[in-house]
Amino acid sequence: MPSAKILEAKKALVADLNEKIAGSLAGVVVAYNGISVADDTKLRKELREAGVHYMVVKNTMLRLAVKGTQYEGLTEYFKGDTAIALSPEDPAARILCKFADADKSKRFVVKGGFCDGQVMDAAGIKSLSTMPNREGLLSMLAGSLNGIVGGLAVALQGIVDKQDETAA
């Protein structure tokens, strides 16, 4: 039986994990078994630069952290060697999927995750990683709106030209 001090520390860890998961827009659960220390260091550096919080946590602590929340469906991914990456934005899926694809040993695997309150499997996270980021989506929207406004201007100019022809 663990001491009261250890139980309190574990409860604090679970509460902290719950708060981090709830405060994240996106999260990715991965199996990290078999990657080299150099690769792990490189991955952690890239995630840290992107503002992603990456941690290796015991599966039991993760299960307790998501218990009773909208992310309870993640518990099926908490088996084996598990790490979780939590992001206030969306780059976690992009970075981790790129790393998993580049892994020659195929031992670093994306298990699943969540985005904007929805639990997703590995295929969903993979498709999320191929979507453009926020700035890319905004530039696509601006380009579309610019094309629409340009088309409207051409149509209005055509009407004006036609009215000038009939008047002459």
Side-chain angles (χ1 to χ4, degrees):
M1 179 86 172
S3 69
K5 185 177 177 182
I6 293 172
L7 283 176
E8 288 303 314
K10 287 183 179 183
K11 285 180 183 176
L13 174 67
V14 167
D16 183 50
L17 274 172
N18 186 301
E19 186 177 307
K20 285 179 181 175
I21 290 170
S24 298
L25 174 70
V28 180
V29 180
V30 296
Y32 65 91
N33 184 21
I35 64 171
S36 68
V37 173
D39 287 342
D40 188 50
T41 303
K42 184 175 136 185
L43 173 66
R44 286 176 184 263
K45 181 179 184 269
E46 191 174 348
L47 289 169
R48 193 173 30 257
E49 288 171 354
V52 177
H53 189 76
Y54 178 78
M55 59 191 143
V56 175
V57 185
K58 289 187 173 190
N59 292 327
T60 305
M61 297 297 157
L62 286 170
R63 278 189 204 99
L64 290 171
V66 298
K67 187 176 184 180
T69 68
Q70 61 189 359
Y71 302 119
E72 198 162 1
L74 289 173
T75 55
E76 66 182 272
Y77 305 120
F78 301 149
K79 295 181 177 92
D81 295 332
T82 304
I84 189 166
L86 301 171
S87 172
E89 297 173 6
D90 67 340
R94 200 173 339 280
I95 295 168
L96 291 168
C97 287
K98 181 181 74 169
F99 188 81
D101 290 342
D103 182 32
K104 294 178 182 103
S105 66
K106 299 297 179 199
R107 298 182 82 182
F108 186 87
V109 179
V110 174
K111 295 179 179 181
F114 66 91
C115 183
D116 203 22
Q118 296 286 358
V119 175
M120 304 172 132
D121 61 356
I125 295 296
K126 183 79 171 166
S127 67
L128 183 67
S129 73
T130 59
M131 290 178 53
N133 60 6
R134 184 175 189 273
E135 289 79 21
L137 289 172
L138 288 175
S139 68
M140 289 168 63
L141 175 65
S144 296
L145 291 175
N146 190 23
I148 292 170
V149 171
L152 179 63
V154 168
L156 291 175
Q157 186 62 43
I159 292 171
V160 169
D161 290 344
K162 189 173 184 178
Q163 286 177 349
D164 288 345
E165 286 177 6
T166 57

